[in-house]
Amino acid sequence: GQNIDQPTEMTATEGAIVQINCTYQTSGFNGLFWYQQHAGEAPTFLSYNVLDGLEEKGRFSSFLSRSKGYSYLLLKELQMKDSASYLCAVDRGSTLGRLYFGRGTQLTVWP
Amino acid sequence: DAGVIQSPRHEVTEMGQEVTLRCKPISGHDYLFWYRQTMMRGLELLIYFNNNVPIDDSGMPEDRFSAKMPNASFSTLKIQPSEPRDSAVYFCASNSRDEPTGYTFGSGTRLTVV
C-alpha cells in the first residue's frame, strides 16, 4: 500500500511558527500537495512541490526532500484563522491521475 | 468557472432509503473523484472516472454503493439501501492531468442516515 504519515494534532499560539511534517513511502512519485481544510468545508489547495527544496508563498512555505520521502509545511506569523486540518497528498506519477492523502494534521492556534 | 458543484449540501434520510448525491465537475477536467470523509477514517477514495469511464472502484464499500458518469459534466453516487454507518461527508473532486493545483473539491454533501 501507500503510506503517508502526518501527526494527528498540533497546537501553537498566535504569532508563532509551526512546522507540520509529512513522510511518505509510495511506489512512484511525481509531486506532493498540501491542502488546508477548515471545519465543515472542503479542502483547498495550498502548495505543490515536485523538486527538492523550499517553495515560499507568503506566510506559508513547503519543503520537499525526495530522497528522504519527507515534506513539511511551515506556517509563519500564525493567526487564529489558520486553525484547520492540513492534508498532505502524493501524486505517484502513474497515468491513473489520483492523489493519495494522509489523515491530516489538526492545527489549533490559541490566542 | 463556478468550481465543482455538489448537491444537496445536506441530506438526512431514514435507514433503508435510497440516497443520490450529484456532482458537476469543472468544465475541461477529465478526472472525477468521489471521496468519503469521517473522523475515524479520514478521506477515503470511493471511485474515480477518467473521461467518464470508471477507472478504480475498489474503494466502494459494498454493492449498496454505485456511481455513474453519463457525460463529462455530471456524475452521481447512489446508496441503496442506506445505513447509519454511511453517515459522512461525501466530496466530489475533479482535475486534469496537468493541473498544478491538484484536485478542486466541491463543497461536499453531509449525509446523515438515522
Side-chain angles (χ1 to χ4, degrees), chain A residues 30 33 35 37 39-45 47-48 87 91-103, chain B residues 9 31 33 35 37 39-43 45 48 55-56 91 95 97 99-107 110:
Chain A
N30 194 43
F33 294 82
Y35 286 82
Q37 185 178 22
E41 298 182 10
T44 56
F45 170 79
S47 68
Y48 172 61
L87 301 160
D91 178 352
R92 283 174 50 201
S94 68
T95 58
L96 300 179
R98 62 167 293 182
L99 298 179
Y100 292 80
F101 283 86
R103 291 289 303 275
Chain B
R9 286 298 306 274
Y31 285 90
F33 304 82
Y35 278 87
Q37 188 175 42
M39 290 291 291
M40 293 296 294
R41 303 172 71 95
L43 267 173
L45 179 66
Y48 75 100
I55 301 300
D56 183 354
F91 286 106
N95 78 343
R97 195 64 188 95
E99 181 63 55
T101 61
Y103 294 172
T104 300
F105 284 86
S107 299
R110 181 173 294 277

Side-chain angles (χ1 to χ4, degrees), chain B residues 9-57:
Chain B
R9 286 298 306 274
H10 303 275
E11 177 81 32
V12 180
T13 191
E14 292 185 345
M15 184 173 65
Q17 296 298 306
E18 178 180 294
V19 175
T20 300
L21 312 181
R22 297 173 176 80
C23 176
K24 180 181 185 329
I26 290 175
S27 176
H29 280 186
D30 53 356
Y31 285 90
L32 184 141
F33 304 82
W34 282 101
Y35 278 87
R36 177 172 68 178
Q37 188 175 42
T38 61
M39 290 291 291
M40 293 296 294
R41 303 172 71 95
L43 267 173
E44 300 176 274
L45 179 66
L46 300 176
I47 185 171
Y48 75 100
F49 297 83
N50 178 219
N51 292 322
N52 312 338
V53 176
I55 301 300
D56 183 354
D57 65 354

